[in-house]
Amino acid sequence: MVELDWKAKMVSSDIPKKSPKLSNKLQVSIPTPFRFSNMSSPLSTSPSASKAYDYYLRLPELRKLWETQEFPAWKNEVVLKPALHALEITFRFISIVLSDPRPYMNRREWTRRLQSLTTSQIELIAMLCEDENEAPILDLTSSNGVLTRESSSAEVWKIHGETTVVNRTSEASLLPRLVTWQKSEDVAQKILYSIECEMRRCPYTLGLGEPNLSGKPNLDYDAVCKPSELHALKSSPYDHIENHENSTLYTTNQILESWIQTAKQLLKRIASGIDAGSFEAAAGDCYILEKIWKLLEEIEDLHLLMDPNDFLHLKSQLQIKSVNETEAFCFRSKGLVEITKLSKELKHKVPFILGVEVDPNGGPRIQEAAMRLYSEQKEGNKVSLVQALQAIEAALKRFFFGYKQVLMIVMGSLEAKGNRVVACSDSGDSLSQIFLEPTYFPSLDAAKTFLGEFWSRERGESRFKK
């Protein structure tokens, strides 16, 4: 039981005084934290398993592409480049699915899911490109309607009377090729219209063949994304395995890892933005991060479409198995482990955002500051930021809960994790430990609890007076 003298704590002048007939002590029962059995950190895995995972996905080579900075003056490059890589790999994934010869494959549902995934990625890329002024772009009006020899995939047209536009299309991306292939034409056309719609708020467009009705500059997509170098990594070290789900698994996880890399760079930007007092920009980045966690869940859901027999055969061929009874397969991704830790560590930024220091005696100093922030309604950027931090927590926990369900469906409840993840009743596995652990922001949680109780009491007192 926790007691709080509300008159001493609630300083907002906008909140009416309480009736003297009711006690000044507001009593709220705070639930005790969920207790786990003695376990090591859930965010740990075997180094050998992580090394094998990296080797299978050719992550060392992918990281070189992500981390190579071709444009030193462009701060957003490290954030946007892996996102563009994920999008380009998705174009390749569409080609793989539509070329799959298996008659029992659910090609229609695969196509729908990949269309949805592509649209989600384009939406996120557009959010990352808003207010972007440093990106390498191609000026569409500088050539006065003259095509250069090296720009064979360009078209000339006019907008607003006499303004001549040269609309260039990437020559290395797979998307323009998908437009010309009968099997993928409808899918590719829908993607182009998605790019046109989502990039409307951005100062430039991607230059993948979208209509570009506004005549905006094009991103120098080929120079930034380097599709040729990216697609050189399309072959897995285990391509000799004759199993169609091998390319599906390999490509799915390359997309996943690319977005994890974007999330990692975004988390660094969020932390530096908060430290610099740029709360509005940090809140925007936090909401983008929330969407990335949701996107990661959407990517993992693609495993549900894999053929059970082919996938389990592939699992045996690749010798995928648990190292111990509590380890989750997803933690073989060092990147996923890192962004999970960084997302949780954002809780340490709350005192700075609220303008208070942690009470060394364990007092409710942060909680009081949070209640003032919520009740006074004067600093909307700070409210948005702390709300966005809690949204990240919700999306993170939802990802791991969803991953556990996918694991059970794809591998079976007993096989899912060393016969323990789903079968054991003590919820002591690493995935349950993450999504069942207490809130990362207890002071914000308590502040909302007390604020809600306060307004409930005020409503009760107003009825009593009547």
Side-chain angles (χ1 to χ4, degrees), residues 143-372:
S143 63
N144 295 319
V146 179
L147 295 179
T148 59
R149 288 182 179 274
E150 62 271 15
S151 298
S152 58
S153 56
E155 57 184 8
V156 182
W157 42 280
K158 291 185 177 183
I159 58 172
H160 308 307
E162 297 301 319
T163 303
T164 303
V165 172
V166 177
N167 193 31
R168 293 183 176 88
T169 299
S170 166
E171 297 183 354
S173 173
L174 287 181
L175 183 58
R177 292 168 174 79
L178 292 177
V179 175
T180 62
W181 186 28
Q182 185 178 1
K183 286 185 177 181
S184 59
E185 181 182 4
D186 59 334
V187 178
Q189 288 289 355
K190 184 176 180 180
I191 292 172
L192 291 177
Y193 289 127
S194 295
I195 295 173
E196 177 74 9
C197 293
E198 295 296 341
M199 297 296 290
R200 289 184 65 85
R201 291 190 299 272
C202 304
Y204 57 85
T205 189
L206 297 184
L208 291 173
E210 63 273 23
N212 192 15
L213 299 178
S214 301
K216 295 185 200 175
N218 285 169
L219 176 72
D220 195 348
Y221 185 88
D222 290 348
V224 175
C225 184
K226 296 187 180 298
S228 299
E229 294 183 21
L230 181 65
H231 294 310
L233 304 178
K234 67 180 181 180
S235 299
S236 160
Y238 295 94
D239 260 10
H240 60 279
I241 294 177
E242 296 182 1
N243 191 317
H244 287 287
E245 296 297 2
N246 189 24
S247 58
T248 303
L249 181 66
Y250 175 75
T251 309
T252 299
N253 282 278
Q254 278 198 337
I255 297 170
L256 181 81
E257 289 295 330
S258 296
W259 277 107
I260 286 173
Q261 176 69 13
T262 289
K264 183 169 71 172
Q265 297 300 327
L266 194 62
L267 278 158
K268 293 178 181 178
R269 195 165 81 179
I270 290 170
S272 61
I274 293 175
D275 292 341
S278 303
F279 298 137
E280 184 177 356
D285 285 342
C286 284
Y287 281 118
I288 294 176
L289 181 62
E290 178 207 9
K291 285 183 173 292
I292 291 178
W293 275 110
K294 293 179 178 179
L295 179 66
L296 298 183
E297 184 178 2
E298 186 177 354
I299 295 169
E300 288 290 359
D301 284 350
L302 293 177
H303 292 87
L304 299 175
L305 296 180
M306 296 181 184
D307 179 74
N309 185 65
D310 288 346
F311 176 78
L312 293 173
H313 186 201
L314 176 64
K315 177 177 176 290
S316 175
Q317 291 172 309
L318 294 176
Q319 298 181 353
I320 301 174
K321 58 183 179 180
S322 302
V323 176
N324 58 63
E325 63 181 6
T326 60
E327 176 206 86
F329 286 111
C330 62
F331 295 137
R332 301 182 183 202
S333 168
K334 290 180 286 188
L336 181 62
V337 170
E338 185 174 1
I339 66 168
T340 302
K341 289 179 178 178
L342 290 174
S343 295
K344 295 175 70 172
E345 287 172 3
L346 288 174
K347 63 186 177 183
H348 300 304
K349 301 293 183 182
V350 171
F352 178 77
I353 295 169
L354 298 177
V356 296
E357 295 182 359
V358 177
D359 190 336
N361 297 320
R365 186 181 296 170
I366 301 176
Q367 175 187 318
E368 295 165 16
M371 286 191 289
R372 285 194 295 270

Side-chain angles (χ1 to χ4, degrees), residues 3-20:
E3 293 187 354
L4 180 67
D5 188 338
W6 193 261
K7 285 185 177 180
K9 308 303 181 188
M10 202 62 185
V11 297
S12 174
S13 59
D14 295 332
I15 297 181
K17 295 180 181 180
K18 297 190 293 294
S19 168

Side-chain angles (χ1 to χ4, degrees), residues 405-417:
Q405 311 312 309
V406 170
L407 200 63
M408 178 185 71
I409 294 171
V410 171
M411 295 188 182
S413 58
L414 293 179
E415 178 67 16
K417 184 58 62 185

